[in-house]
Amino acid sequence: MVSREGSSHVVSLYCSRLSSGTFSQTQSDLDPENTGFIAVENFTSLVEHHELQLDPSKLDMLLALVQSNEEGQVCYQELIELMSSKRSSSFRRAIANGRRTLQREILLDETGLGLYKRFVRYVAYEILPCETDRRWYFHQNRLCPPPVFIAIVTIVQIIVFMCYGIMLNKWVLQTYQPDFMKSPLVYHPGHRAQVWRFFSYMFMHVGLEQLGFNALLQLMIGVPLEMVHGILRISLLYMAGVLAGSLTVSITDMRAPVVGGSGGVYALCSAHLANVVMNWAGMRCPYKLLRMILALVCMSSEVGRAVWLRFSPPLPSSGPQPSFMAHLSGAVVGISMGLLILRSYEESLQKQCSWWVIVFSFITFLLFAIFWNIFAYELLGVQIPPPP
């Protein structure tokens, strides 16, 4: 067996060469016979001193991978993938076989857990499809940083809605009030030059029914997703859905305004539902079929309500009602970008070709939408309702 101290030097040696790009020289040293495997003895023979810090959890995974191999050898390609932060079978084997940081018992069999740990276990079974990933998340979970993004967005949406409800003295179908569209937060085609409106419309809502639906889904789905995948990835997905929603409306429903956070909400929900469907056998959340049907019915009903509102006869002074296209574009973002994010737990997105394809596609759409908003309205002679 290889000692922890010796392995630390070997790992540091490998990392320094990995960062400098000398892959061939490293393989010739560790695997001189070019068998594709590295003997443990070769590790210890290459001990050199390097002042390089290594993530302790990654070191534990490497040690578990080495020590769990009865034949005393490690696959060279698995080592590369593990040390370059690319998820592979080495990651799963290290967690499944390692005894340093993880227990072998199934999470559901563990007893004596506190309230927070029981909630973390619940989140693990709600979001992650693999028992190995669930165990890893459960034992590595830390309360810092907390999942604050979805909570802050929801609180701000509620505060803004309460303020306009008191000011307008109306809590349902607020868009029928002409003063509602005077808000600097609403996206209106007549105010396209005010770029912040392409984002800020997510804080305004048609009424209590839309706010309640969005807030409920954000908290029930968004908070667990943020706990597992982190604030950066989930905030990126949510804001991409919001931006795609307003830009899609500006292209496909050019006379309509937009309000509500449905673009971001549908990005989260569609990504999660698609991930559940694609990993159906591995998901262990209770009543998943019933909950899937209920979620689809609720989301379809909300789209139906938005379609009805868009084409219902407006009051003469209120102009066209908000568009429903933000819902659909948010769902597209979720199924494309969101699904890849949720399937890449503990995996570097930057190293995946499919991630850059999606990023390039989104940037292309963004540039097209910018040019469309600058030139298409005048070229097509679109009659925009006068801005409030």
Side-chain angles (χ1 to χ4, degrees):
M1 291 295 180
V2 60
S3 67
R4 183 184 182 90
E5 182 179 359
S7 295
S8 299
H9 287 301
V10 173
V11 172
S12 297
L13 168 65
Y14 179 79
C15 287
S16 64
R17 295 186 175 183
L18 180 64
S19 60
S20 63
T22 58
F23 293 100
S24 59
Q25 181 62 34
T26 302
Q27 185 170 13
S28 64
D29 291 339
L30 298 180
D31 182 20
E33 297 180 2
N34 198 27
T35 62
F37 293 91
I38 306 168
V40 174
E41 292 77 8
N42 288 352
F43 268 130
T44 57
S45 66
L46 291 173
V47 175
E48 292 182 13
H49 181 72
H50 289 270
E51 297 296 332
L52 180 65
Q53 297 296 325
L54 184 67
D55 183 2
S57 62
K58 185 172 291 186
L59 177 58
D60 284 331
M61 286 191 290
L62 178 62
L63 291 173
L65 176 64
V66 174
Q67 296 178 359
S68 64
N69 194 307
E70 298 178 354
E71 299 179 359
Q73 58 184 13
V74 181
C75 177
Y76 179 77
Q77 185 60 36
E78 286 187 350
L79 179 63
I80 291 179
E81 294 177 348
L82 176 62
M83 301 313 300
S84 62
S85 300
K86 181 180 179 182
R87 282 285 299 278
S88 65
S89 59
S90 61
F91 177 91
R92 302 179 185 277
R93 285 177 53 197
I95 295 177
N97 298 330
R99 295 184 176 89
R100 291 181 175 270
T101 59
L102 296 177
Q103 303 174 7
R104 288 184 174 276
E105 291 79 7
I106 297 177
L107 284 182
L108 289 177
D109 296 336
E110 294 194 16
T111 58
L113 299 177
L115 180 62
Y116 174 71
K117 273 298 185 181
R118 288 201 299 268
F119 179 66
V120 171
R121 181 174 62 180
Y122 163 80
V123 169
Y125 276 91
E126 285 290 312
I127 303 301
L128 296 172
C130 176
E131 182 66 22
T132 299
D133 291 342
R134 290 191 284 260
R135 290 167 56 200
W136 174 254
Y137 167 73
F138 179 81
H139 289 283
Q140 296 296 319
N141 176 263
R142 300 291 184 270
L143 188 57
C144 184
V148 297
F149 174 76
I150 295 297
I152 291 176
V153 168
T154 305
I155 292 173
V156 173
Q157 289 174 339
I158 293 175
I159 292 175
V160 171
F161 177 78
M162 295 291 293
C163 292
Y164 277 91
I166 295 173
M167 183 179 66
L168 301 174
N169 194 25
K170 191 175 181 64
W171 304 95
V172 179
L173 296 179
Q174 290 183 350
T175 52
Y176 276 65
Q177 288 280 2
D179 290 339
F180 180 86
M181 290 298 175
K182 295 180 181 180
S183 169
L185 302 178
V186 174
Y187 168 81
H188 189 282
H191 292 306
R192 298 189 314 282
Q194 299 174 358
V195 179
W196 72 83
R197 292 177 180 261
F198 286 89
F199 296 93
S200 63
Y201 78 94
M202 72 179 188
F203 297 114
M204 304 290 291
H205 286 81
V206 171
L208 186 61
E209 70 286 354
Q210 186 188 25
L211 174 65
F213 178 83
N214 286 348
L216 183 63
L217 285 183
Q218 283 177 180
L219 295 176
M220 290 182 61
I221 297 179
V223 171
L225 287 177
E226 188 177 347
M227 289 180 62
V228 173
H229 297 282
I231 184 174
L232 182 61
R233 291 189 176 190
I234 297 306
S235 60
L236 173 63
L237 175 59
Y238 188 92
M239 297 308 297
V242 169
L243 179 59
S246 55
L247 291 177
T248 301
V249 170
S250 69
I251 296 173
T252 61
D253 199 357
M254 301 170 67
R255 301 181 68 251
V258 189
V259 295
S262 298
V265 172
Y266 273 65
L268 296 179
C269 293
S270 59
H272 178 58
L273 294 180
N275 190 45
V276 171
V277 171
M278 294 190 66
N279 299 280
W280 189 262
M283 299 300 294
R284 290 293 181 266
C285 47
Y287 309 108
K288 57 184 177 182
L289 179 59
L290 178 61
R291 293 165 62 183
M292 174 73 71
I293 295 175
L294 181 61
L296 292 175
V297 169
C298 292
M299 293 173 66
S300 301
S301 300
E302 168 61 16
V303 173
R305 183 204 60 82
V307 173
W308 169 83
L309 180 64
R310 172 65 182 90
F311 295 107
S312 62
L315 297 178
S317 58
S318 64
Q321 290 299 300
S323 177
F324 59 90
M325 291 302 298
H327 299 69
L328 304 182
S329 59
V332 172
V333 170
I335 294 175
S336 55
M337 178 186 295
L339 181 58
L340 179 60
I341 289 177
L342 299 194
R343 293 180 62 187
S344 301
Y345 173 66
E346 287 293 326
E347 185 175 344
S348 176
L349 292 173
Q350 293 84 348
K351 298 181 182 298
Q352 301 184 51
C353 179
S354 53
W355 169 251
W356 292 110
V357 171
I358 292 176
V359 171
F360 176 77
S361 301
F362 190 85
I363 293 177
T364 302
F365 166 73
L366 177 62
L367 294 176
F368 172 79
I370 292 174
F371 279 98
W372 182 275
N373 278 272
I374 294 175
F375 301 109
Y377 280 77
E378 293 184 4
L379 292 177
L380 298 178
V382 179
Q383 297 297 322
I384 302 176

